Amino acid sequence: MSNPLVIFDCDGTLVDSQHSICTAMVRAFEAVKLPPPGRMDILSVVGLSLPHAVARLLPDADGAFHDHVSDHYKSAFHAMRGEGAVSEPLYDGIAELIAALDKQGWLLGVATGKSDRGLNLCLTHHGIIDRFVTLQTADRHPSKPHPSMIAQAMADAGAIPETTVMIGDTSFDIEMAVNAGVRGIGVAWGYHPPEILRESGAVAVAETSDELARYIGLTR
């Protein structure tokens, strides 16, 4: 018997960090004297590892410049934390869902484009970090939709594809699930439209945390 595993994306799935992400990206572009992208353009790349996200926003620039802008983004986010200006609230019902899954014996993980530090700070702030048995970040893996994060999460948890589900709000999350051979469930409260999630291979798209619990298979 393998362990049932639920892997969550973070930004746009567990927490609504769009204001902080957009502010940091605008500051990064301003630091390199470029007009910042629009809010929807920034949100469209959330979930990718940072250099890959910047590359989508600046397709004509080279890799070294993508890394340069990424460094400014990290500096901006760090400065915002120091200012107390980072906002990453949990979405409605998420804390309760995580507690219920944990209580019923589901193993929990995270696969995110965040850094190790950023993810740890976020989950610690909300008092839920101890619920997770595996935390996979952009610091140690190729960018989504490569399946590396899910493969390592399953290895950590002793899970197999048939007993694993990936929860995310972007096409990158769902494509990663498809690439890893696991069930992908979308959430409608994040940064990509539900129709895009379905086109990417989501078996379902939840409108609420209660609906998500039913799709996962949680009994209440």
Side-chain angles (χ1 to χ4, degrees):
M1 291 291 291
S2 62
N3 296 315
L5 173 65
V6 182
I7 307 170
F8 291 91
D9 168 56
C10 189
D11 297 309
T13 300
L14 295 177
V15 301
D16 187 4
S17 46
Q18 61 179 294
H19 175 72
S20 299
I21 290 171
C22 290
T23 299
M25 192 65 77
V26 167
R27 290 189 183 185
F29 271 67
E30 289 174 344
V32 297
K33 305 292 192 284
L34 288 176
R39 175 178 168 275
M40 295 309 297
D41 288 332
I42 296 171
L43 293 181
S44 74
V45 300
V46 172
L48 294 173
S49 299
L50 187 53
H52 288 78
V54 173
R56 293 223 180 177
L57 296 173
L58 293 170
D60 295 330
D62 61 23
F65 193 73
H66 296 153
D67 291 340
H68 181 53
V69 176
S70 297
D71 288 341
H72 278 290
Y73 176 94
K74 293 175 186 176
S75 296
F77 216 98
H78 180 71
M80 288 164 60
R81 284 200 186 279
E83 298 161 6
V86 171
S87 175
E88 297 177 312
L90 288 171
Y91 285 103
D92 290 345
I94 289 297
E96 294 80 5
L97 173 61
I98 288 171
L101 287 166
D102 188 25
K103 184 177 180 180
Q104 287 197 12
W106 290 79
L107 297 183
L108 305 177
V110 176
T112 177
K114 281 183 176 298
S115 66
D116 285 332
R117 180 174 182 275
L119 179 62
N120 283 323
L121 285 170
C122 178
L123 298 181
T124 299
H125 172 75
H126 291 296
I128 58 175
I129 193 166
D130 291 339
R131 301 281 192 182
F132 297 95
V133 302
T134 179
L135 300 175
Q136 305 303 322
T137 75
D139 285 347
R140 287 168 285 115
H141 294 280
S143 180
K144 298 175 184 180
H146 192 285
S148 174
M149 290 190 201
I150 292 179
Q152 186 59 55
M154 289 191 293
D156 289 349
I160 60 175
E162 290 79 8
T163 61
T164 299
V165 59
M166 175 70 205
I167 313 297
D169 70 299
T170 70
S171 60
F172 315 126
D173 299 312
I174 303 304
E175 289 167 6
M176 179 173 64
V178 171
N179 291 339
V182 308
R183 191 163 50 118
I185 299 175
V187 298
W189 52 78
Y191 306 147
H192 284 189
E195 59 269 21
I196 297 298
L197 303 181
R198 293 188 183 95
E199 290 171 5
S200 299
V203 299
V205 178
E207 297 284 343
T208 67
S209 59
D210 284 342
E211 194 171 47
L212 177 56
R214 291 196 299 273
Y215 288 144
I216 292 171
L218 179 69
T219 56
R220 292 185 174 181

